């Protein structure tokens, strides 16, 4: 069974990060599409769960990458050192007429443990922190409202440590990280990444 040790032996690479889809063509999204960025530990599992949950249901694209740091063009190796300040994160492009930002954040709080500061499962370090990176005032408002509600109704036994921050510069992760668990079905999956059976939030 895969464990967090698998992460220690995955290869580092100098592959160039590209803003292209898996088939190699430039991506064009419909007018009105929006972006959401979340960090919830190892980005392999975060991407995999979001694609599984929202594929064909409003998710237009999902990319793993780095955000929240203070160095330019970070590599996976540098982010893993914990010295760049970046978090491993997921950037979702979605159609708000099919799935709302609120729904994406509810899922975020179901699929990881936001009460473990700078850690998910056996992965520890600031690069594995829980965070929501908002793009505008409405996203910030929604993030704070959802966080407050899930703290009261879902995560009552622990304090949520999720950071809510403006989205700074985004860097795509190296190509071999994209769709990693689709390409490597037996690859490492963080044990903290699973969908909790919470009741619906109050309206």
């Amino acid at each position: 069974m895969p464990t967090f040790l698998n992460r220690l032996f995955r290869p580092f690479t100098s592959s160039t990060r590209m803003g292209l889809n898996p088939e190699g063509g430039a991506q064009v999204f419909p007018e009105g599409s929006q972006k959401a960025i979340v960090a919830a530990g190892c980005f392999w599992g975060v991407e995999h769960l979001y694609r599984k949950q929202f594929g064909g249901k409003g998710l237009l694209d999902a990319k793993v990458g780095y955000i929240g740091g203070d160095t330019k063009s970070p590599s996976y190796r540098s982010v893993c050192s914990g010295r760049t300040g970046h978090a491993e994160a997921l950037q979702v492009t979605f159609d708000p007429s099919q799935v709302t930002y609120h729904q994406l954040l509810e899922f975020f709080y179901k699929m990881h443990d936001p009460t473990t500061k700078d850690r998910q499962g056996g992965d520890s370090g600031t690069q594995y922190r829980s965070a929501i990176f908002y793009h505008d005032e409405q996203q910030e408002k929604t993030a704070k409202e959802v966080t407050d509600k899930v703290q009261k109704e879902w995560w009552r036994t622990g304090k949520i440590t999720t950071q809510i921050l403006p989205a700074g510069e985004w860097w795509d992760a190296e190509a071999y990280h994209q769709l990693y668990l689709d390409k490597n079905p037996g690859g490492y999956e963080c044990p903290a990444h699973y969908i909790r059976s919470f009741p619906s939030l109050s309206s």
Side-chain angles (χ1 to χ4, degrees):
M1 176 177 288
T3 70
F4 76 96
L5 292 176
N6 292 94
R7 288 175 62 86
L8 301 179
F9 299 104
R10 67 186 184 186
F12 292 114
T13 178
S14 58
S15 299
T16 302
R17 293 180 293 280
M18 302 177 68
L20 301 175
N21 66 24
E23 287 70 43
Q27 292 174 294
V28 178
F29 301 115
E31 186 176 350
S33 61
Q34 298 178 14
K35 292 186 185 298
I37 299 177
V38 296
C42 174
F43 50 23
W44 292 348
V46 182
E47 179 194 26
H48 188 65
L49 286 175
Y50 266 87
R51 284 186 178 277
K52 193 172 180 181
Q53 179 72 16
F54 298 107
K57 302 174 185 176
L59 185 147
L60 303 174
D61 184 48
K63 288 183 178 179
V64 296
Y66 315 115
I67 193 171
D70 52 14
T71 61
K72 295 289 186 181
S73 194
S75 66
Y76 175 73
R77 183 190 294 272
S78 65
V79 171
C80 277
S81 74
R83 294 192 293 269
T84 72
H86 291 88
E88 289 194 16
L90 175 72
Q91 178 180 261
V92 169
T93 303
F94 65 100
D95 179 349
S97 70
Q98 295 186 59
V99 61
T100 67
Y101 185 64
H102 192 287
Q103 290 173 311
L104 294 173
L105 295 190
E106 281 193 29
F107 184 74
F108 167 75
Y109 280 117
K110 285 182 178 179
M111 58 71 55
H112 83 298
D113 184 348
T115 69
T116 53
K117 183 176 173 60
D118 297 336
R119 178 170 60 83
Q120 289 296 308
D123 302 324
S124 62
T126 57
Q127 66 269 34
Y128 302 118
R129 64 188 179 271
S130 174
I132 299 168
F133 298 90
Y134 59 84
H135 291 89
D136 55 36
E137 290 183 1
Q138 184 56 53
Q139 284 196 352
E140 179 185 16
K141 180 174 182 289
T142 300
K144 290 179 176 178
E145 289 176 350
V146 172
T147 301
D148 182 62
K149 191 165 286 190
V150 299
Q151 176 71 85
K152 294 174 180 175
E153 300 181 26
W154 287 354
W155 294 98
R156 289 172 290 184
T157 59
K159 180 175 174 55
I160 288 177
T161 65
T162 302
Q163 298 176 338
I164 299 175
L165 302 167
E169 193 162 15
W170 169 268
W171 302 93
D172 285 353
E174 293 83 351
Y176 74 99
H177 288 299
Q178 310 298 335
L179 291 165
Y180 184 85
L181 288 174
D182 288 304
K183 299 171 185 174
N184 302 276
Y188 170 76
E189 293 188 65
C190 176
H193 288 166
Y194 63 91
I195 303 172
R196 279 80 176 165
S197 299
F198 290 131
S200 299
L201 290 174
S202 61
S203 57

